[in-house]
Each structure stands twice: as C-alpha cells, then as structure tokens.
Amino acid sequence: MRENLRTNFLGIEMPNPFMLASAPPARDREMIDRAFQAGWGGAVIKTLTQYTGAEGDEIRDVSPRIFPIRGMGGEFKNAVFGYMNIELTSQKTNEESCEDISFLKKRWPDRAVIASILYGHAPIKEKWQRAAADCELAGADAIELNFSCPHGCSEIGSGVSIGGNPAKIKEILGWVKEATKLPLITKLTVLSDIVYAAALSEEHGADAVCAINTVSSMPGIDLENFRPRLNVGGVGTAGGLSGHMIKPIALRSVLEIARAVKIPISGSGGIYDWHDAAEFILAGASTLQICSAVMERGYGIIGGLCSGLSAYMERMGFEDIEAFRGKALGSIVHHADIDRGRLFKPSLDLIKCSCCGRCAVSCRDAGYQAISLSRGGISRDLDKCPGCGRARCFGGRTRRSRALPEPGVLRKSAGSEAVPASNEPPFRHVRARDFRSPAGFLLPDKICR
C-alpha cells in the first residue's frame, strides 16, 4: 500500500482516491469484490431505481445499448475516443442491492462503498426516503443522488431533469436528509449550470458533489439507411457520452466548482491514467471516479494509476493528496485578466517535424498565411505570425522557445547550435533535402528521421 495515496473522503478512510463510478463496472458484488482485490479504493454501486421485480416495476434494458466512438481514418482509425450508451440503472431490486452493500462492507471495511439512488415515478418522496434508509441500514458509507443521468430517466422527471431544476435539487435533498444521517453526494450535469447546482447543493445540505455524469449525445447517423448508428430495430435515441471526449468538459467543471464551494468534489469524466488523475486533483477533486477506462482495460489499470500517481507525488514533494489538491486554481483567471502583452512564437523542431504540411494548410486557410509548404520544405514568416498557436494542433510538432533567434537563423532542435540560413531571408526554412516520391511530393516517413 502506498501511504501517500491514503484518502479521507467524507470521513471514509480509503487506501487510495480511485473509485469505480456508478456504471457497468460496479454492477454487482462479485464484480466490485474483484475490483477491491485488484486494489481499488472504493466503488459507487449501480444506481438503485426499483423496489421489486414485479411486472411493470422492473427495469429492462435494450440491446445493443453501448456504442464506441471511433476515429474514422488516418493515424486515428479505429481508435476509441469514448462511448455513447443508453443503458439504464440497476436491474436489481433494492433488497438485492442492499445485500451487495452489506456483503462488500463486511468483506472490505477499509474501502468506500457508496450507494447511488434515483427515482422519478410517484410516490416520489416515499421512494427517495425509503431507498436512503435501506442503504444506511445495509451499511453504505454514503449516498450519491443521481441528478444527472441524461437518458431514459429524464423522460420520467428524474436524472438530468432534476439537476437542471433548482427547486427539485432543494426538495429532494430535503427529503433524503430527513431519512438518513449518511453523507450525501449530488452527482451533477453539465447540461445546465453545474456551478450553480453545486452551490445550491452545498447550501441545502449536500456533503459533497460529483462532477460530471455522461453528456447527452448522438454518435452518428448511417448515411445509407439514415438511422442512428446505435439503434434497436431501426430506431434510436440520444444517450450519454463518456470517455476521453468529455475530459476537458469534466476538468473545467471541477475547476469552476472548486472555486465556488467548500465541500469535497469527486471528479469523474475521461480519467484514463495517473496523469488525468493528477490533473483532476490539481483542479480540486478529492477522489476520482472511473468507468470507460475500466470498460476498455479492466480492473487491472489500478496498479498503474496508483504507482504513477504515487511516483509523481514523490517527485514533486507532495506528502499526501491534500498537499496538491486545488493547486492549479490560482492560475485559472477570467479571460479579461490574461496578459495581452505576451506574444507566443513557436519554433520548429527539425527532429520531430515530418514535413506533413498540415500546419501550413491550416495557417493558409484558417490563419494568417505565416507558414507555407513548397517542394523545398516548410517556411515560416515571423512578421506575419501573431502567435495564435494553431501550428501546435498537429501532432505536437512545435515547441516553445525562450528567445527567438534573429531572422535568418535556423534552430536544429532543442539544445543544438543555431545554423545561419543562406541569404538571411525573413523566415525560417526547412529543407526536405532529396527525399521525394517520383511525383515530386514529400515523403513524410523519410524526412527528419
């Protein structure tokens, strides 16, 4: 066990801050038990929504219900950037789910076992309160209130329709607080003002917030049959997007919430490795909830998450999670407060540059015509370059230079000597030498290797 990862979340002691999100990887006791054996610090069980399995009350999923969002071509062909799903809440009855909670807490007293509940059909107050009381009796450490599921539940007045309704947030928090003394976590949505919802949650008694849930989306439409790519019998619906694609949205949400409230934040959305985890903690998160990465790689990723984060903390001199939680908040300002006097000028790294020309095309057709590509190579006109940073969008081909050389001087790579260019033109020039195809085009795989 890595002592520097030990976490106290809402009074719950955990060996590390990594938890399974309320999702397919936390479907039942057998799965969560295996995750705890692998080393996970906690789990939020799949959301409770039903009391019995009686006809008319049971939850029934459609098939298929999960769709991978893949790259369509080039170097990203078939790469999975995220998932869209229309899966509903737990198929289990409340009694079965509470049995799972009891089993897990008895077997793993040092792990966080958090219940998740969500209701929409009448009698609504009775269901929220009864479920909360049942989970407390079962031994749950806390209860997550799902105010953010973007599909299915929202059609019956639950899920995201609660997270976007301040009056509902206030009302349901009041109901649940009457029924239990357990810490309450509101899981919020970016489909409404999530910062306001977090502040409102804090004001009306929530002990923590979770940000974010999946984002309502449509994965695509088949151009031949005109149907959604994820469809059942030819019809489909919008569903929740998760994975890499929502990380920037989730990170922004955690940053802004951390500046607005004092209660803890459980960060969720696009966390795949320890780098992502460290970013969320720097943004203000106390714990991390993960789903998509487990769907792709399994529970075993916890080893790399823990070892990587622990090593980073040792290298940076952080004794525990609290030592760097929220450390990035001081560098996040309003747009109007950013210095307009600085001018970024990217320098070209000949070792990394493949002369693919994408930066030149982008600068020509969507920029300032400061980069050009010819049979002689890539040229940059520094007088035209406003430092927009667009060239960095293509494979990380450029790096920042502390001091720009005089016009007509070419840098070979970081740490190398500057080499004068012939005739001292007012731009930097990269020659592709003699590596050309028979048609005269550049061969990227043979240049600058």
Side-chain angles (χ1 to χ4, degrees), residues 54-77:
E55 185 175 354
D57 188 46
E58 76 276 15
I59 300 296
R60 297 184 62 188
D61 269 317
V62 300
S63 177
R65 54 186 174 271
I66 300 175
F67 186 87
I69 311 298
R70 299 182 183 273
M72 298 301 290
E75 60 187 297
F76 298 114
K77 185 176 182 180

Side-chain angles (χ1 to χ4, degrees), residues 17 34 117 126 149 213 233 246 274 293 335 349 400 402 437 446:
R34 284 193 288 110
I117 61 177
E126 177 189 339
C149 181
N213 207 327
I246 69 168
W274 71 264
H335 192 281
D349 192 327
R400 187 165 187 168
R402 291 184 179 178
S437 70
K446 295 184 178 179

Side-chain angles (χ1 to χ4, degrees), residues 39 60 86 114 180 190 250 258 268 405:
R60 297 184 62 188
I86 53 174
I114 298 175
T180 180
V190 293
S268 179

Side-chain angles (χ1 to χ4, degrees), residues 175-344:
W175 292 344
V176 179
K177 287 188 72 67
E178 289 177 3
T180 180
K181 295 181 180 180
L182 289 179
L184 301 181
I185 307 162
T186 55
K187 188 168 186 176
L188 303 174
T189 175
V190 293
L191 299 179
S192 59
D193 189 339
I194 193 169
V195 179
Y196 177 66
L200 193 67
S201 296
E202 180 180 42
E203 179 183 350
H204 292 286
D207 299 283
V209 296
C210 175
I212 59 175
N213 207 327
T214 57
V215 181
S216 185
S217 64
M218 178 61 65
I221 297 174
D222 191 294
L223 300 184
E224 301 301 321
N225 60 30
F226 324 125
R227 297 170 177 173
R229 292 193 179 277
L230 175 56
N231 69 81
V232 180
V235 298
T237 187
L241 178 67
S242 64
H244 294 291
M245 300 177 77
I246 69 168
K247 178 194 166 187
I249 301 172
L251 196 60
R252 184 272 304 176
S253 300
V254 170
L255 279 164
E256 293 190 353
I257 292 171
R259 296 168 65 178
V261 305
K262 296 181 179 180
I263 56 177
I265 304 167
S266 190
S268 179
I271 301 172
Y272 275 72
D273 57 28
W274 71 264
H275 300 85
D276 298 327
E279 289 182 54
F280 273 80
I281 295 170
L282 288 166
S286 297
T287 59
L288 301 314
Q289 295 190 23
I290 300 175
C291 168
S292 295
V294 176
M295 288 172 59
E296 285 189 33
R297 306 170 191 169
Y299 298 132
I301 63 170
I302 189 62
L305 289 167
C306 288
S307 62
L309 184 60
S310 179
Y312 165 76
M313 292 169 62
E314 290 178 1
R315 178 168 63 84
M316 299 298 292
F318 300 135
E319 294 185 359
D320 54 32
I321 297 293
E322 285 300 307
F324 72 108
R325 185 176 64 81
K327 208 169 182 65
L329 295 176
S331 61
I332 308 299
V333 299
H334 293 293
H335 192 281
D337 296 328
I338 299 176
D339 186 358
R340 263 66 172 169
R342 293 179 177 271
L343 183 61
F344 170 81

Side-chain angles (χ1 to χ4, degrees), residues 87-104:
E87 182 165 294
L88 297 176
T89 52
S90 177
Q91 305 285 299
K92 293 191 169 193
T93 65
N94 282 15
E95 182 179 359
E96 291 169 336
S97 293
C98 286
E99 288 175 358
D100 286 352
I101 292 171
S102 296
F103 170 85
L104 291 166

